[in-house]
Amino acid sequence: DIQMTQSPSSLSASVGDRVSITCRASQTISTSLNWYQQKPGKAPNLLIYAASSLQSGVPSRFSGSGSGTDFTLTITSLQPEDFAAYYCQQTYSTPLTFGGGTNVEIK
Amino acid sequence: QVQLVQSGAEVKKPGASVKVSCKASGYTFTSYYVHWVRQAPGQGLEWMGRINPSGGSTIYARKFEGRVTMTSDTSTSIVYMELSSLRSEDAAVFYCARAVAYGNNWYGRFDPWGQGTLVTVSS
């Protein structure tokens, strides 16, 4: 199974900050990497797919990069509605696996 | 609009089974795989498996093999996930999600997700 390791597990930031979350795969997954945002009590929402493609309707302050084993989600100018949990997911092979998540909290 | 609507919360006793439904609308039901994901309280996301509504073929995560059954009904555009022999650690929110393929990635991306179904396991 492909293990996905996210870091950090949590972070505190202020509105307007630039935030980066990393995700490392235990083996190469090309660009088969998605990022989701989840707010408390809600279902996850797709932000980025194929490592760097912005899902329709998602603000352009979200971006993704990487390939192979190392990936990054970046939020430029953090907004109040961005405080949430973020998960990476590999869809390279089954079992599909998620990172452990990153909680972005208000400083 | 594309939507997945799940059935309501369930309370089950240990050893029982639960069957959660996921009704699709706004797209051609048989053209997209549907996946199921579990989220225990305060925990992360765990993939359970997927079903191809066209034909009903399934792939299950090894962890759930033998306990999970995913089925689909093309006449109603509903996908079902049944989990048997429930134990306390199965208490979670269960999500269905449509998989949208891209390029040569057949598993693609999950969009949209259902609203989630809370399953409580308690004696």
Side-chain angles (χ1 to χ4, degrees):
Chain A
D1 298 2
I2 299 174
Q3 309 303 318
M4 304 301 293
T5 303
Q6 253 182 268
S7 61
S9 57
S10 67
L11 66 89
S12 294
S14 301
V15 172
D17 283 353
R18 178 187 178 95
V19 165
S20 291
I21 299 168
T22 63
C23 185
R24 174 164 289 174
S26 60
Q27 62 189 74
T28 184
I29 58 170
S30 184
T31 56
S32 299
L33 191 284
N34 304 320
W35 290 98
Y36 300 90
Q37 177 193 68
Q38 186 179 32
K39 296 184 179 179
K42 300 294 186 182
N45 182 52
L46 177 68
L47 298 174
I48 301 286
Y49 66 95
S52 61
S53 295
L54 188 69
Q55 172 69 2
S56 176
V58 173
S60 58
R61 63 181 179 272
F62 291 92
S63 65
S65 63
S67 67
T69 60
D70 294 310
F71 302 87
T72 302
L73 173 70
T74 300
I75 312 171
T76 58
S77 190
L78 200 65
Q79 296 302 299
E81 60 267 31
D82 300 337
F83 292 95
Y86 294 84
Y87 294 92
C88 61
Q89 176 203 33
Q90 67 82 15
T91 56
Y92 185 79
S93 65
T94 58
L96 307 186
T97 45
F98 293 87
T102 297
N103 285 313
V104 176
E105 301 165 341
I106 301 173
K107 182 181 285 184
Chain B
Q1 75 280 24
V2 176
Q3 201 173 6
L4 298 176
V5 178
Q6 298 182 222
S7 49
E10 301 262 14
V11 179
K12 296 293 182 181
K13 294 188 185 303
S17 297
V18 68
K19 192 170 186 177
V20 179
S21 68
C22 171
K23 182 171 175 59
S25 62
Y27 70 95
T28 302
F29 178 64
T30 52
S31 295
Y32 297 85
Y33 291 5
V34 173
H35 295 244
W36 289 89
V37 174
R38 182 171 82 168
Q39 187 170 38
Q43 302 300 308
L45 302 168
E46 181 176 33
W47 181 76
M48 300 179 69
R50 69 92 173 137
I51 183 167
N52 178 357
S54 176
S57 67
T58 54
I59 295 176
Y60 301 138
R62 267 192 309 277
K63 176 175 183 174
F64 298 100
E65 282 271 11
R67 284 210 301 144
V68 69
T69 303
M70 297 176 190
T71 55
S72 63
D73 183 341
T74 56
S75 68
T76 57
S77 298
I78 297 177
V79 170
Y80 298 93
M81 186 283 298
E82 184 170 23
L83 188 63
S84 62
S85 303
L86 290 170
R87 30 207 191 235
S88 58
E89 54 265 37
D90 289 319
V93 175
F94 292 82
Y95 294 101
C96 60
R98 184 185 72 156
V100 180
Y102 57 83
N104 59 1
N105 185 321
W106 287 101
Y107 299 115
R109 59 201 194 257
F110 289 7
D111 180 66
W113 296 57
Q115 83 277 19
T117 296
L118 175 64
V119 174
T120 301
V121 182
S122 173
S123 53

